[in-house]
Amino acid sequence: MRTERPRPQSVFRRAMLAPHHMLQQVIRMKQLSFILLVSLSLIAQCGPSFSKDRRITGTIGAFECGDNCYLTIVDSRKAEQVGLCAAPECESWNERTVMPSRYKGKRVTVTVGQGQQVDDSGNVMGEMMAFKKIKFLD
């Protein structure tokens, strides 16, 4: 029994199929480019939840220091928002590791950004929400 060998495609047939394959590749590249563009725009829109202009209004609940100093703001929904105390108003508090008691319970609006947590040796350990400005409302 003789097995038929598949015949090689003719040169003409291959020449006719080449533009079709190239067209398919171009379409796939355009689809991938579109998907990439949409993904990048979504990433840009979703960004971190603490964008540079975000503000929180509430009352100062606590101030605590360890390797870093943290300010707690109790917002209008009674949720505690904890961030690095990085505002100019925090400088003397951070140096002394204590906030004057007269500020506890004060109404404030804080501008939220991102700050770096450091250990006692100054090594960056991570990033978290930071309060960059404090506006006292009382």
Side-chain angles (χ1 to χ4, degrees):
M1 180 180 237
R2 187 172 166 196
T3 309
E4 268 190 49
R5 257 177 74 198
R7 288 188 291 173
Q9 292 180 337
S10 70
V11 173
F12 176 74
R13 181 166 165 79
R14 278 185 279 176
M16 293 299 291
L17 291 176
H20 178 71
H21 289 296
M22 290 175 76
L23 181 61
Q24 284 181 330
Q25 287 179 338
V26 168
I27 290 170
R28 283 188 193 125
M29 288 173 56
K30 284 184 176 182
Q31 289 171 336
L32 288 173
S33 298
F34 178 74
I35 291 170
L36 180 62
L37 181 65
V38 169
S39 298
L40 289 173
S41 78
L42 286 173
I43 290 169
Q45 289 175 8
C46 294
S49 63
F50 33 86
S51 67
K52 65 180 178 181
D53 295 326
R54 183 170 162 229
R55 291 183 175 86
I56 298 172
T57 298
T59 58
I60 295 178
F63 178 81
E64 299 171 344
C65 293
D67 288 344
N68 301 273
C69 292
Y70 304 91
L71 186 65
T72 302
I73 304 297
V74 180
D75 67 18
S76 59
R77 295 174 308 187
K78 305 295 182 214
E80 290 187 347
Q81 305 289 333
V82 179
L84 292 167
C85 202
E89 296 82 358
C90 297
E91 287 179 17
S92 65
W93 306 350
N94 291 345
E95 287 172 11
R96 296 185 187 110
T97 67
V98 66
M99 174 186 73
S101 60
R102 69 180 176 274
Y103 292 109
K104 185 165 181 160
K106 289 277 189 185
R107 284 186 25 81
V108 295
T109 296
V110 293
T111 302
V112 179
Q114 191 170 16
Q116 294 183 330
Q117 290 178 298
V118 294
D119 65 14
D120 196 35
S121 300
N123 300 312
V124 176
M125 303 304 290
E127 294 183 345
M128 72 173 290
M129 181 167 63
F131 301 134
K132 300 290 189 174
K133 295 179 186 173
I134 301 173
K135 179 180 178 184
F136 293 96
L137 303 176
D138 292 337

